[in-house]
Amino acid sequence: MINLKLLDSNYDEFVKKLRGKKTNEELLETLLQTFNTLKKEKIELENLQAIQNSKSKELGNLARSGADVSGLKQELSQNKEAISSKSEIVKELEAKLSDIANSVPNIIDDDVPFGEDENDNVCIKEVLTPREFSFEPKPHYELSPDLDFERGVKISGSRFTIIKGQMARLSRALVNYMIDFNNSRGFELVNVPFLVSSNTLYGTGQLPKFEEDLYKVDGEDLYLIPTSEVPVTNIYNDEIIPEEELPIKMTCYSACFRKEAGSAGRDTRGMIRQHQFEKVELVCITKPEDSEKTLQDMVDCASDLLASLGLPHRHMLLCSGDLGFSAAKTIDLEVWLPSANKFREISSVSNTRDFQARRAKIRYKNGSKNTLVHTLNGSSLAVGRTLIAIMENYQNQDGTIEIPEVLKRYM
């Protein structure tokens, strides 16, 4: 959730950063109006409460002296009713402000470029040089019968795939290699549920805004996870973490489930965009002063993993208009796909600052004070897209596919 105190201290800068994320102008105006009205009503309530305290003391003094206090009692009774009425107004405005704030995205970091969409993202660097083929490289969906698209559709519908045989072994090898690689960088493996409550999804920002992209269990407060960022971050929901335990670095393998409600007609062939896919995730919980360095460490971890697989890729700093709801800053890693002759996203590493921590109430003991942590998350990596990248970059003219050296022992 956004820090509402920023509305008070620097509203113009606050709104500028939200406009960069293409936030609805009417929503911002309603947010400010509600915030200002709530402040005014709170001041009036505090004044009424101060009057009640003062008059109550006066009543006590007069009663002890034997004076007539009937008029003062009537005055106090009327003021008490005014307090009750004003308290109800404040309570309703607080609920309204909370509802509005729940739909407002995180503000962007100062070094995030303003822009409209992915065309305005900035390439920070490229890693490895794409291979030059002596033949026309094929797309992944033409390279192996072990990717069974027809039967995937038969049993589940569009955007589902069955992986079998050698490709299934390669997929499992990738998962194990990714986990071991991340462990070597200090990320502890955690296994989490694939079903979570609405409160858990609220904590990381998927609810209430993105419910249409989620698969919900009928009749229960349970949803299939869109990414393991959700349960892993919320391991510490409503907890105060001892300072000495920070940073907390975790990695997690999971299946992920997304309706892809806004992607009709996009990437309909192959495995680029699926309703169910696998991912190995990185999640970090840090002190605020450490989160920028942690972001770079996580990007380096995912990038070095790609490089160890021999996969050319680039680092992209996302512009304001392409940032996710909870992210203050995101660096995408895009892997080279020869058949398309372009880079495609394979990892997205984000610093959410204290946005998720405020929603999930994750704090740490900072001396005698409880302070919100910063949370970060990133793919390391999307398993299906990594499989695709290996198939396409390591294909031979005769249709065979080489295995990256680091994966051979996992096969």
Side-chain angles (χ1 to χ4, degrees):
M1 184 184 292
I2 54 171
N3 184 353
L4 292 171
K5 291 180 181 178
L6 293 176
L7 281 172
D8 235 2
S9 60
N10 198 344
Y11 177 75
D12 290 340
E13 183 68 17
F14 182 79
V15 169
K16 177 184 175 184
K17 291 181 174 182
L18 287 175
R19 282 179 178 145
K21 274 194 166 181
K22 297 184 281 192
T23 308
N24 182 280
E25 290 285 338
E26 186 176 335
L27 181 67
L28 294 176
E29 290 173 8
T30 306
L31 179 70
L32 179 62
Q33 290 170 2
T34 306
F35 181 74
N36 286 335
T37 303
L38 177 59
K39 276 202 307 181
K40 171 178 165 292
E41 295 292 342
K42 276 186 170 180
I43 290 171
E44 292 181 4
L45 175 60
E46 288 168 0
N47 289 338
L48 288 170
Q49 289 169 333
I51 290 171
Q52 193 75 4
N53 290 335
S54 174
K55 295 290 185 181
S56 293
K57 289 179 182 178
E58 183 182 344
L59 177 67
N61 292 332
L62 287 173
R64 281 191 292 272
S65 69
D68 181 14
V69 294
S70 56
L72 187 54
K73 279 185 175 181
Q74 179 68 22
E75 190 178 334
L76 278 165
S77 178
Q78 291 173 348
N79 194 67
K80 187 176 181 179
E81 289 179 8
I83 288 174
S84 177
S85 176
K86 188 65 70 176
S87 295
E88 195 59 36
I89 292 171
V90 167
K91 184 178 178 181
E92 290 174 0
L93 283 169
E94 285 176 337
K96 181 181 178 182
L97 184 64
S98 179
D99 285 344
I100 298 168
N102 284 338
S103 300
V104 176
N106 198 1
I107 61 173
I108 62 175
D109 279 358
D110 291 336
D111 59 347
V112 170
F114 282 85
E116 286 296 311
D117 52 36
E118 61 185 20
N119 296 312
D120 295 319
N121 295 339
V122 178
C123 181
I124 301 171
K125 70 174 182 178
E126 295 189 8
V127 180
L128 303 181
T129 303
R131 168 187 171 190
E132 291 187 9
F133 287 83
S134 59
F135 58 93
E136 186 71 25
K138 293 181 179 179
H140 70 281
Y141 46 80
E142 294 180 6
L143 281 170
S144 175
D146 287 344
L147 303 183
D148 195 336
F149 300 105
E150 289 185 4
R151 289 190 176 99
V153 170
K154 179 178 72 173
I155 64 174
S156 299
S158 63
R159 298 191 188 275
F160 289 93
T161 304
I162 294 170
I163 307 175
K164 56 190 179 182
Q166 288 291 76
M167 287 301 104
R169 291 174 63 85
L170 179 56
S171 178
R172 177 56 58 186
L174 277 168
V175 171
N176 290 333
Y177 176 63
M178 291 174 185
I179 290 170
D180 286 351
F181 189 95
N182 295 339
N183 279 163
S184 74
R185 295 295 180 96
F187 292 87
E188 180 184 16
L189 177 64
V190 295
N191 290 336
V192 294
F194 293 177
L195 287 161
V196 295
S197 68
S198 57
N199 182 64
T200 301
L201 286 155
Y202 171 80
T204 41
Q206 282 77 20
L207 286 179
K209 191 172 177 64
F210 301 104
E211 185 160 15
E212 66 172 9
D213 264 336
L214 301 171
Y215 287 100
K216 188 177 190 307
V217 179
D218 283 346
E220 296 189 51
D221 182 30
L222 284 174
Y223 296 78
L224 288 166
I225 60 170
T227 164
S228 58
E229 163 205 342
V230 176
V232 175
T233 304
N234 278 283
I235 288 173
Y236 294 92
N237 188 299
D238 200 14
E239 290 190 18
I240 300 170
I241 303 167
E243 183 177 8
E244 61 271 17
E245 291 185 15
L246 297 177
I248 296 170
K249 300 168 66 177
M250 296 170 284
T251 188
C252 180
Y253 159 78
S254 77
C256 306
F257 307 88
R258 298 179 190 175
K259 287 185 178 179
E260 296 287 356
S263 62
R266 296 173 59 194
D267 300 313
T268 54
R269 297 196 70 183
M271 289 173 52
I272 290 288
R273 198 178 296 275
Q274 300 273 278
H275 290 311
Q276 176 185 317
F277 58 97
E278 296 173 294
K279 189 150 64 87
V280 174
E281 189 80 0
L282 300 175
V283 171
C284 283
I285 298 175
T286 75
K287 297 179 187 178
E289 61 267 26
D290 296 332
S291 67
E292 185 62 26
K293 179 183 181 301
T294 300
L295 176 69
Q296 191 56 54
D297 289 344
M298 293 171 70
V299 170
D300 290 343
C301 181
S303 179
D304 291 347
L305 174 53
L306 277 169
S308 75
L309 292 167
L311 295 174
H313 58 281
R314 64 182 184 179
H315 297 207
M316 301 295 293
L317 175 62
L318 299 198
C319 73
S320 60
D322 201 28
L323 275 179
F325 180 79
S326 298
K329 181 179 180 178
T330 297
I331 296 174
D332 273 5
L333 300 183
E334 297 181 343
V335 72
W336 179 253
L337 294 185
S339 69
N341 197 38
K342 67 179 182 179
F343 291 95
R344 292 297 302 262
E345 179 200 336
I346 195 169
S347 173
S348 193
V349 187
S350 298
N351 190 349
T352 75
R353 300 291 178 181
D354 61 8
F355 185 83
Q356 291 180 334
R358 181 172 285 105
R359 296 170 76 102
K361 300 176 184 176
I362 307 173
R363 298 139 290 167
Y364 77 100
K365 184 63 72 174
N366 183 9
S368 61
K369 184 172 66 171
N370 294 333
T371 303
L372 290 170
V373 299
H374 279 193
T375 64
L376 303 94
N377 62 81
S379 316
S380 181
L381 302 157
V383 179
R385 292 195 179 190
T386 309
L387 181 68
I388 289 168
I390 288 173
M391 292 176 69
E392 293 201 5
N393 283 278
Y394 281 89
Q395 64 179 291
N396 297 317
Q397 191 166 6
D398 64 2
T400 58
I401 297 167
E402 299 290 335
I403 301 297
E405 190 65 34
V406 294
L407 292 180
K408 288 182 179 178
R409 69 185 182 94
Y410 290 88
M411 294 290 288

